[in-house]
Amino acid sequence: DYNLPGNRAVQLLSDLTKSNVYLPKYEGETIRLISQEANALFKKIQETLQTFKNKINEPEIKAGVVIQHQSLKRNKQCVLAYLMERARRLERLRWQIGTNIPLELQQNMSPMEKEFF
């Protein structure tokens, strides 16, 4: 269920680590959606802080902001872990096969990953 904040990001990382393919297709669209979710969470945090600036120490307000912030952080951490794992796999591959990228792997790489390789 992607409706809860952070679920899409966790699924992105989970799919990569559970994949039977060494380098699965780059999930650029999913990363874009996660980024949009993170931006929405950030805006919601800002709105909450602005709206309740005099009541920010009330437990229910504080808890809501903390939960939103933790969801935002989890999104960032999952996307960064996804990108780092892909970079590690590409680095290992580069050491193993040199600069000639097999076509089946090229199709799964982002333009930035091709440049990195």
Side-chain angles (χ1 to χ4, degrees):
D1 184 355
Y2 291 134
N3 293 332
L4 295 173
N7 281 0
R8 184 176 277 120
V10 171
Q11 190 63 48
L12 173 73
L13 187 55
S14 177
D15 289 348
L16 176 63
T17 57
K18 292 179 182 177
S19 176
N20 294 329
V21 179
Y22 185 75
L23 192 68
K25 182 181 174 292
Y26 179 77
E27 296 291 341
E29 178 62 18
T30 302
I31 290 173
R32 187 185 67 73
L33 292 171
I34 293 166
S35 178
Q36 285 179 344
E37 180 182 295
N39 288 335
L41 282 166
F42 182 74
K43 285 179 185 175
K44 195 168 186 177
I45 291 167
Q46 285 182 316
E47 289 169 7
T48 302
L49 291 174
Q50 186 64 32
T51 302
F52 298 102
K53 60 184 166 191
N54 296 329
K55 299 179 180 181
I56 196 62
N57 288 323
E58 291 183 16
E60 57 273 2
I61 305 297
K62 193 181 284 189
V65 169
V66 167
I67 290 169
Q68 292 167 346
H69 185 254
Q70 291 301 318
S71 296
L72 175 63
K73 282 178 49 178
R74 185 167 74 165
N75 275 354
K76 287 181 182 181
Q77 290 169 338
C78 287
V79 170
L80 288 173
Y82 172 83
L83 294 172
M84 284 301 300
E85 177 57 26
R86 289 184 65 88
R88 283 187 196 110
R89 290 179 186 196
L90 286 170
E91 186 177 39
R92 283 193 301 265
L93 192 62
R94 174 72 188 259
W95 280 102
Q96 292 171 359
I97 66 170
T99 59
N100 295 326
I101 309 167
L103 184 58
E104 63 273 7
L105 289 179
Q106 285 183 31
Q107 296 170 347
N108 291 345
M109 295 169 70
S110 74
M112 291 180 296
E113 288 174 331
K114 289 177 185 175
E115 187 178 321
F116 174 75
F117 198 80

